[in-house]
Amino acid sequence: MRVIDSRIDTGSSAFAANAAAYREMVAVLRERQGWVIDGGEGRARQIERHHARGKVMVRDRIDLVTDDGTPFLELSMLSGWGQYDDAAPGAGIVTGIGIVGGVPYVFIANDATVKGGSLLPMSIKKHVRAQDIAAQNDLGVIYLVDSGGAFLPLQDELFPDKDHFGGSFYRQARLSAQGLPQLSVVLGGCTAGGAYVPALSDEVIMVRGIGRIFLGGPPIVKAALGEIIEPDDLGGAELHTRESGVSDHMTETEHEAYGLLREICETTNQRSFDHREGWIDWAEPEPPAYDVGEIYGIVSADDRIPFDATEIIARMVDGSRFAPFKPSWGDSVVCGFARLWGHLVGVIANNGIIFNESALKATHFIELCEQRRVPLVFLQNTSGYMVGRDSEVGGIAKNGAKMVAAVANATVPKYTVLIGGSYGAGNYGMCGRGFDPRFLFAWPNSRIATMAADTAETVLVDIRVGGMRGSETTEAELEAIRTEIRQQYETQSDPYYATSRLWDDGLIDPVHTRDILGLCLALAARQDEPPPGPGIVYRM
């Protein structure tokens, strides 16, 4: 592989303006992540009460369990942003991947300082997504349970449907059956449905004085039976460890519980983080030849101005070395092989609109990667597939469908990063959420929607006017329609709107993309090779 010859003038005024604009976006991201950690309405009082009970904050709990000096990849940190009257930072739950005794685990931890740990619709979605990540990557799950159960005022949005609360129990049972450890530490309430999280776990630790498990808490017991009982007498650690057998271990303090949890993890017989099965080609990693921070100056401050995806690749891959595929044909999609933290990957990146040739090129390349068992990394920045008579005559519908079908049927690990626009069917062809990439991350400049706001304004105004009495429509009415449509699309395509709803696995700083993808690839490398697909390469 040859080193990419960068054409970026890092001393130009345009580069400086882009970099300044991006640093502002990153500052906003950091500010909002900080709000998730210690902000939110009434949160200071809740944090004070949490500490007064002798409890440890949720991210500190994870830190006490994981190995010193190892990374913790927090997922969907800004879930719930702008929802629930801004009173549910992170949707009241922390999920992510951490390393315990050299072995990676998924963590699902309730934050009792957010609505008492009660589970909102987005909490359940985040919980379920973390379990799906565990299943795809063969990871055990550690549950740090401190929850008031379902948030009853929204019960119709979190109780009865397929991927609601019951879906989390279904997944937990199946993960255990696959030999993936399900371990719980009970650090607070486990009420009603929440009681099944520890009950479905392979091994359970309860902390005396703060851990409680019951299907119906004291108020329900009083209402149903007229029985007045203290919480610890109804479902405390001593009762469940010495009498009911729901819990396997009891500790006096949280810190003692985490030490015991680490001991249990030593007995789970799981593959270590640095274990490699050998089916993913690996070599000693080397840093990119170019400064990763230069990405800030490459991404255009004005999203209507394109930027070259090859320049992004040069600052992400090992040694900035890249072996392009069909570089002289279909150049609105960049395809080629590179290494990322030593792992051989196939990269597919957009340089804007996907034309017929680009779609066929990408399809051919996906089939090559599938045949050669090379993981795929998609870098999305596209307004979608090309429209117009010439494109239709050229077969854009069938050629786009070939690309979509190739993505859908690839069995090698797939990873997606939204580095710019993600519009229309381009989102699908470039392995959007609906095509089940193992992980999907987004940059703070990204946008996701059926189409860009200015395009939607033109299209939908024409449609609405066509259904109105055109001659009677005033310019003021048309302008009001334009404003409404533009505001809707600008709001709904905003990256914070998307990440709030778990359309991605988190907004990330571009300079961290290489490390995050390297961690994700290392998870795949420790697994058995996935069953191959058809394996035939059809020349497009």
Side-chain angles (χ1 to χ4, degrees), residues 143-208:
Y143 302 88
L144 303 181
V145 192
D146 192 354
S147 171
F151 186 65
L152 296 179
L154 298 177
Q155 64 87 26
D156 62 320
E157 298 179 43
L158 53 82
F159 172 69
D161 209 350
K162 178 176 179 290
D163 286 333
H164 284 175
F165 209 177
S168 69
F169 305 147
Y170 171 82
R171 286 166 172 81
Q172 190 172 344
R174 291 181 65 85
L175 286 166
S176 178
Q178 291 169 38
L180 301 175
Q182 304 296 293
L183 308 174
S184 284
V185 183
V186 181
L187 303 156
C190 295
T191 306
Y196 290 104
V197 174
L200 283 165
S201 293
D202 304 333
E203 210 158 343
V204 179
I205 302 168
M206 290 186 74
V207 180
R208 189 202 297 265

Coordinates of all heavy atoms in Angstrom, one line a residue, residues 143-208:
Y143 N -24.5 -5.8 34.7 CA -25.6 -4.9 35.0 C -25.3 -4.3 36.4 O -25.2 -5.1 37.4 CB -26.9 -5.7 35.1 CG -27.3 -6.4 33.8 CD1 -26.8 -7.7 33.5 CD2 -28.1 -5.7 32.8 CE1 -27.1 -8.3 32.3 CE2 -28.4 -6.4 31.6 CZ -27.9 -7.7 31.4 OH -28.3 -8.3 30.2
L144 N -25.2 -3.0 36.5 CA -25.1 -2.3 37.8 C -26.5 -1.7 38.0 O -26.8 -0.6 37.5 CB -24.0 -1.3 37.7 CG -22.6 -1.8 37.3 CD1 -21.6 -0.7 37.4 CD2 -22.2 -2.9 38.3
V145 N -27.3 -2.4 38.9 CA -28.7 -2.1 38.9 C -29.0 -1.2 40.1 O -28.7 -1.5 41.2 CB -29.5 -3.4 39.1 CG1 -31.0 -3.2 38.9 CG2 -29.0 -4.5 38.1
D146 N -29.7 -0.1 39.7 CA -30.1 0.9 40.7 C -31.3 1.6 40.1 O -31.2 2.8 39.7 CB -29.0 1.9 41.0 CG -29.2 2.7 42.3 OD1 -30.3 2.7 42.8 OD2 -28.3 3.5 42.7
S147 N -32.4 0.9 40.1 CA -33.5 1.5 39.3 C -34.9 1.4 40.0 O -35.1 0.4 40.7 CB -33.6 0.7 38.0 OG -34.8 1.0 37.3
G148 N -35.7 2.4 39.8 CA -37.0 2.4 40.3 C -38.0 1.7 39.4 O -39.2 1.7 39.6
G149 N -37.5 1.0 38.3 CA -38.4 0.3 37.4 C -39.0 1.2 36.3 O -38.5 2.3 36.1
A150 N -40.0 0.7 35.7 CA -40.6 1.5 34.6 C -41.1 2.8 35.0 O -41.7 2.9 36.1 CB -41.7 0.6 33.9
F151 N -41.0 3.8 34.2 CA -41.6 5.2 34.4 C -43.1 5.1 34.0 O -43.4 5.2 32.9 CB -40.9 6.2 33.6 CG -41.3 7.6 33.9 CD1 -41.0 8.2 35.1 CD2 -41.9 8.4 32.9 CE1 -41.4 9.5 35.4 CE2 -42.3 9.7 33.2 CZ -42.1 10.2 34.4
L152 N -43.9 4.9 35.0 CA -45.3 4.5 34.8 C -46.1 5.5 34.0 O -47.0 5.0 33.2 CB -46.0 4.2 36.2 CG -45.4 3.0 37.0 CD1 -46.1 2.9 38.3 CD2 -45.4 1.8 36.1
P153 N -45.9 6.8 34.1 CA -46.7 7.7 33.2 C -46.5 7.4 31.7 O -47.4 7.8 30.9 CB -46.2 9.1 33.6 CG -45.7 8.9 35.0 CD -45.1 7.6 35.0
L154 N -45.4 6.7 31.3 CA -45.2 6.4 29.9 C -45.3 4.9 29.7 O -44.6 4.4 28.7 CB -43.9 7.0 29.4 CG -43.7 8.5 29.5 CD1 -42.3 8.9 29.1 CD2 -44.8 9.2 28.7
Q155 N -46.0 4.2 30.5 CA -46.0 2.7 30.4 C -46.4 2.2 29.0 O -45.8 1.2 28.6 CB -46.9 2.2 31.5 CG -48.4 2.5 31.3 CD -49.1 1.5 30.5 OE1 -48.7 0.3 30.3 NE2 -50.2 1.9 29.8
D156 N -47.2 2.9 28.3 CA -47.6 2.4 27.0 C -46.5 2.5 25.9 O -46.6 1.8 24.9 CB -48.9 3.1 26.4 CG -48.6 4.6 26.2 OD1 -47.9 5.2 27.1 OD2 -49.1 5.2 25.2
E157 N -45.5 3.3 26.2 CA -44.3 3.4 25.3 C -43.2 2.5 25.7 O -42.1 2.5 25.0 CB -43.9 4.9 25.3 CG -44.9 5.9 24.8 CD -44.4 7.3 24.8 OE1 -43.3 7.5 24.4 OE2 -45.2 8.2 25.3
L158 N -43.3 1.8 26.8 CA -42.1 1.0 27.2 C -42.4 -0.4 27.7 O -41.5 -1.2 27.9 CB -41.3 1.7 28.2 CG -42.0 2.2 29.5 CD1 -42.2 1.1 30.5 CD2 -41.2 3.3 30.1
F159 N -43.7 -0.8 27.7 CA -44.1 -2.1 28.3 C -44.4 -3.2 27.3 O -43.9 -4.2 27.3 CB -45.2 -1.9 29.3 CG -45.8 -3.2 29.8 CD1 -45.0 -4.0 30.7 CD2 -47.0 -3.7 29.5 CE1 -45.5 -5.2 31.1 CE2 -47.5 -4.9 29.9 CZ -46.7 -5.7 30.8
P160 N -45.4 -2.9 26.4 CA -46.0 -4.1 25.7 C -45.3 -4.5 24.4 O -45.6 -5.7 24.0 CB -47.4 -3.6 25.4 CG -47.3 -2.1 25.2 CD -46.1 -1.7 26.1
D161 N -44.6 -3.7 23.7 CA -44.2 -4.0 22.3 C -42.9 -4.9 22.3 O -42.2 -5.1 23.3 CB -44.0 -2.7 21.5 CG -44.3 -2.9 20.1 OD1 -44.4 -4.0 19.6 OD2 -44.3 -1.8 19.3
K162 N -42.5 -5.3 21.1 CA -41.5 -6.2 20.8 C -40.1 -5.8 21.5 O -39.5 -6.6 22.1 CB -41.3 -6.4 19.3 CG -40.2 -7.4 18.9 CD -40.1 -7.6 17.4 CE -39.0 -8.5 17.0 NZ -37.7 -7.9 17.2
D163 N -39.7 -4.6 21.2 CA -38.4 -4.1 21.7 C -38.6 -3.2 23.0 O -37.7 -2.4 23.3 CB -37.6 -3.4 20.7 CG -37.1 -4.4 19.6 OD1 -36.8 -5.5 20.0 OD2 -36.9 -4.0 18.5
H164 N -39.7 -3.4 23.7 CA -39.9 -2.7 25.0 C -39.2 -3.5 26.1 O -38.3 -4.3 25.9 CB -41.4 -2.5 25.2 CG -41.9 -1.4 24.3 ND1 -43.3 -1.0 24.3 CD2 -41.3 -0.5 23.5 CE1 -43.5 0.0 23.5 NE2 -42.3 0.3 23.0
F165 N -39.7 -3.3 27.3 CA -39.0 -3.8 28.5 C -38.9 -5.4 28.4 O -37.8 -5.9 28.7 CB -39.8 -3.4 29.7 CG -39.0 -3.3 31.0 CD1 -39.7 -2.9 32.2 CD2 -37.7 -3.6 31.0 CE1 -38.9 -2.8 33.3 CE2 -37.0 -3.4 32.2 CZ -37.6 -3.0 33.4
G166 N -39.9 -6.0 28.0 CA -39.9 -7.5 27.8 C -38.8 -7.9 26.9 O -38.2 -9.0 27.1
G167 N -38.5 -7.2 25.9 CA -37.4 -7.5 24.9 C -36.1 -7.6 25.6 O -35.2 -8.3 25.2
S168 N -35.9 -6.8 26.6 CA -34.6 -6.8 27.3 C -34.4 -8.1 28.1 O -33.3 -8.7 28.2 CB -34.4 -5.6 28.3 OG -35.3 -5.7 29.4
F169 N -35.5 -8.7 28.7 CA -35.4 -9.9 29.4 C -35.2 -11.1 28.4 O -34.5 -12.0 28.7 CB -36.7 -10.2 30.2 CG -37.1 -9.1 31.1 CD1 -38.4 -8.7 31.4 CD2 -36.1 -8.3 31.7 CE1 -38.8 -7.7 32.2 CE2 -36.4 -7.3 32.6 CZ -37.8 -7.0 32.8
Y170 N -35.9 -11.0 27.3 CA -35.7 -12.0 26.2 C -34.3 -12.1 25.8 O -33.7 -13.2 25.7 CB -36.6 -11.6 25.0 CG -36.4 -12.4 23.8 CD1 -37.0 -13.7 23.6 CD2 -35.6 -12.0 22.7 CE1 -36.8 -14.4 22.5 CE2 -35.4 -12.7 21.6 CZ -36.1 -13.9 21.4 OH -35.9 -14.7 20.3
R171 N -33.7 -10.9 25.6 CA -32.3 -10.9 25.1 C -31.3 -11.4 26.2 O -30.4 -12.1 26.0 CB -31.9 -9.5 24.8 CG -32.4 -9.0 23.4 CD -32.3 -7.5 23.2 NE -32.7 -7.1 21.9 CZ -33.9 -6.9 21.4 NH1 -34.9 -7.1 22.3 NH2 -34.1 -6.5 20.2
Q172 N -31.6 -11.0 27.5 CA -30.8 -11.5 28.6 C -30.8 -13.0 28.7 O -29.7 -13.6 28.9 CB -31.2 -10.8 29.9 CG -30.3 -11.0 31.0 CD -30.7 -10.2 32.3 OE1 -31.5 -9.3 32.2 NE2 -30.1 -10.5 33.4
A173 N -31.9 -13.6 28.6 CA -32.0 -15.1 28.6 C -31.2 -15.7 27.5 O -30.6 -16.7 27.7 CB -33.5 -15.5 28.6
R174 N -31.4 -15.2 26.3 CA -30.7 -15.7 25.1 C -29.2 -15.5 25.2 O -28.4 -16.4 24.8 CB -31.3 -15.2 23.9 CG -32.7 -15.7 23.6 CD -33.3 -15.1 22.3 NE -32.6 -15.6 21.2 CZ -32.8 -16.8 20.5 NH1 -33.8 -17.6 21.0 NH2 -32.1 -17.1 19.5
L175 N -28.7 -14.4 25.7 CA -27.3 -14.1 25.9 C -26.7 -15.2 26.8 O -25.6 -15.7 26.6 CB -27.1 -12.7 26.4 CG -27.3 -11.6 25.4 CD1 -27.3 -10.2 26.1 CD2 -26.2 -11.6 24.3
S176 N -27.4 -15.4 27.9 CA -26.9 -16.4 28.9 C -26.8 -17.8 28.2 O -25.8 -18.5 28.4 CB -27.8 -16.4 30.1 OG -27.4 -17.4 31.0
A177 N -27.8 -18.1 27.4 CA -27.8 -19.4 26.8 C -26.7 -19.6 25.8 O -26.3 -20.7 25.4 CB -29.2 -19.6 26.1
Q178 N -26.2 -18.4 25.3 CA -25.1 -18.5 24.3 C -23.7 -18.5 25.0 O -22.7 -18.5 24.4 CB -25.1 -17.2 23.4 CG -26.3 -17.2 22.5 CD -26.4 -15.8 21.8 OE1 -25.5 -15.1 21.5 NE2 -27.7 -15.4 21.6
G179 N -23.8 -18.6 26.4 CA -22.5 -18.7 27.1 C -21.9 -17.4 27.4 O -20.7 -17.3 27.7
L180 N -22.7 -16.3 27.2 CA -22.1 -15.0 27.5 C -22.6 -14.5 28.9 O -23.8 -14.4 29.1 CB -22.7 -14.0 26.4 CG -22.3 -14.3 25.0 CD1 -23.0 -13.4 24.0 CD2 -20.8 -14.3 24.8
P181 N -21.7 -14.4 29.8 CA -22.0 -14.2 31.2 C -23.0 -13.0 31.4 O -22.8 -11.9 30.8 CB -20.7 -13.9 31.9 CG -19.7 -14.5 31.0 CD -20.2 -14.4 29.6
Q182 N -24.0 -13.2 32.3 CA -24.9 -12.1 32.7 C -24.7 -11.9 34.2 O -25.1 -12.8 35.0 CB -26.3 -12.5 32.3 CG -26.5 -12.8 30.9 CD -26.3 -11.6 29.9 OE1 -27.0 -10.7 30.0 NE2 -25.3 -11.7 29.1
L183 N -24.1 -10.8 34.6 CA -23.7 -10.6 36.0 C -24.3 -9.3 36.5 O -24.3 -8.3 35.8 CB -22.2 -10.5 36.1 CG -21.4 -11.7 35.5 CD1 -19.9 -11.4 35.5 CD2 -21.7 -13.0 36.1
S184 N -24.9 -9.4 37.7 CA -25.6 -8.2 38.3 C -25.0 -7.9 39.6 O -24.8 -8.8 40.4 CB -27.1 -8.5 38.4 OG -27.8 -8.4 37.2
V185 N -24.9 -6.6 39.8 CA -24.7 -6.1 41.2 C -25.8 -5.2 41.5 O -26.1 -4.2 40.8 CB -23.3 -5.2 41.3 CG1 -23.1 -4.8 42.7 CG2 -22.2 -6.1 40.8
V186 N -26.5 -5.5 42.6 CA -27.7 -4.7 43.0 C -27.3 -3.7 44.0 O -26.9 -3.9 45.1 CB -28.8 -5.7 43.6 CG1 -30.1 -4.9 43.9 CG2 -29.2 -6.8 42.6
L187 N -27.5 -2.4 43.5 CA -27.0 -1.2 44.3 C -28.1 -0.3 44.7 O -27.9 0.8 45.2 CB -26.0 -0.5 43.4 CG -24.8 -1.3 42.9 CD1 -24.2 -0.7 41.7 CD2 -23.8 -1.4 44.0
G188 N -29.3 -0.7 44.5 CA -30.5 0.1 44.8 C -31.8 -0.7 44.5 O -31.8 -1.9 44.7
G189 N -32.8 0.0 44.1 CA -34.1 -0.7 43.9 C -34.1 -1.5 42.6 O -33.4 -1.2 41.6
C190 N -34.7 -2.7 42.7 CA -35.1 -3.5 41.5 C -36.5 -3.9 41.7 O -36.9 -4.9 42.3 CB -34.2 -4.8 41.5 SG -32.5 -4.5 41.3
T191 N -37.4 -3.0 41.1 CA -38.8 -3.1 41.4 C -39.6 -3.6 40.2 O -39.2 -3.3 39.1 CB -39.4 -1.7 41.8 OG1 -38.6 -1.2 42.9 CG2 -40.8 -1.8 42.3
A192 N -40.6 -4.4 40.5 CA -41.5 -5.0 39.4 C -40.7 -5.6 38.3 O -39.9 -6.5 38.6 CB -42.3 -3.8 38.9
G193 N -40.8 -5.2 37.1 CA -40.1 -5.8 36.0 C -38.6 -5.7 36.2 O -37.8 -6.6 35.7
G194 N -38.1 -4.7 36.9 CA -36.7 -4.5 37.1 C -36.1 -5.6 38.0 O -34.9 -5.9 37.9
A195 N -37.0 -6.4 38.7 CA -36.5 -7.5 39.5 C -35.9 -8.6 38.6 O -35.1 -9.4 39.1 CB -37.6 -8.0 40.4
Y196 N -36.4 -8.7 37.4 CA -36.0 -9.8 36.5 C -34.6 -9.6 36.0 O -34.0 -10.5 35.5 CB -37.0 -10.0 35.4 CG -38.3 -10.5 35.9 CD1 -39.4 -9.7 36.1 CD2 -38.4 -11.9 36.3 CE1 -40.6 -10.2 36.6 CE2 -39.6 -12.4 36.8 CZ -40.7 -11.6 36.9 OH -41.8 -12.1 37.4
V197 N -34.0 -8.4 36.1 CA -32.6 -8.2 35.6 C -31.7 -9.1 36.5 O -31.0 -9.9 35.9 CB -32.2 -6.7 35.6 CG1 -30.7 -6.6 35.3 CG2 -33.1 -5.9 34.6
P198 N -31.7 -8.9 37.8 CA -30.9 -9.8 38.6 C -31.4 -11.3 38.6 O -30.6 -12.2 38.5 CB -30.9 -9.3 40.0 CG -32.1 -8.4 40.0 CD -32.3 -7.9 38.6
A199 N -32.7 -11.4 38.5 CA -33.3 -12.8 38.6 C -32.8 -13.6 37.3 O -32.7 -14.8 37.4 CB -34.8 -12.7 38.7
L200 N -32.6 -12.9 36.2 CA -32.2 -13.6 35.0 C -30.7 -13.7 34.8 O -30.2 -14.2 33.8 CB -32.8 -12.9 33.8 CG -34.3 -13.2 33.5 CD1 -34.8 -12.1 32.5 CD2 -34.5 -14.6 32.9
S201 N -30.0 -13.1 35.8 CA -28.5 -13.1 35.7 C -27.9 -14.5 36.2 O -28.5 -15.2 36.9 CB -28.0 -12.0 36.6 OG -28.3 -10.7 36.1
D202 N -26.7 -14.8 35.7 CA -26.1 -16.0 36.0 C -25.6 -16.0 37.5 O -25.5 -17.0 38.1 CB -24.9 -16.2 35.1 CG -25.2 -16.2 33.6 OD1 -26.4 -16.6 33.3 OD2 -24.4 -15.9 32.8
E203 N -25.1 -14.8 37.9 CA -24.6 -14.6 39.3 C -25.0 -13.2 39.7 O -24.9 -12.3 39.0 CB -23.1 -14.9 39.3 CG -22.6 -15.4 40.6 CD -21.3 -16.2 40.5 OE1 -20.9 -16.5 39.3 OE2 -20.6 -16.4 41.5
V204 N -25.3 -13.1 41.0 CA -25.9 -11.8 41.5 C -25.2 -11.5 42.8 O -25.0 -12.3 43.7 CB -27.4 -11.9 41.8 CG1 -27.9 -10.6 42.4 CG2 -28.1 -12.3 40.5
I205 N -24.8 -10.2 42.9 CA -24.2 -9.7 44.2 C -25.2 -8.6 44.7 O -25.7 -7.8 43.9 CB -22.9 -9.0 44.0 CG1 -21.9 -10.0 43.4 CG2 -22.3 -8.4 45.3 CD1 -20.6 -9.4 42.9
M206 N -25.5 -8.6 46.0 CA -26.3 -7.5 46.5 C -25.6 -6.8 47.6 O -24.8 -7.5 48.4 CB -27.7 -8.1 47.1 CG -28.6 -8.5 46.1 SD -30.3 -9.0 46.8 CE -30.9 -7.4 47.2
V207 N -25.7 -5.5 47.7 CA -25.0 -4.7 48.8 C -26.0 -4.5 49.9 O -27.1 -3.9 49.7 CB -24.5 -3.4 48.2 CG1 -23.8 -2.6 49.3 CG2 -23.5 -3.6 47.0
R208 N -25.6 -4.9 51.1 CA -26.5 -4.7 52.2 C -26.8 -3.3 52.5 O -26.0 -2.4 52.4 CB -25.8 -5.3 53.5 CG -26.8 -5.4 54.7 CD -26.0 -5.5 56.0 NE -25.1 -6.6 56.1 CZ -25.4 -7.8 56.7 NH1 -26.6 -7.9 57.3 NH2 -24.6 -8.7 56.8

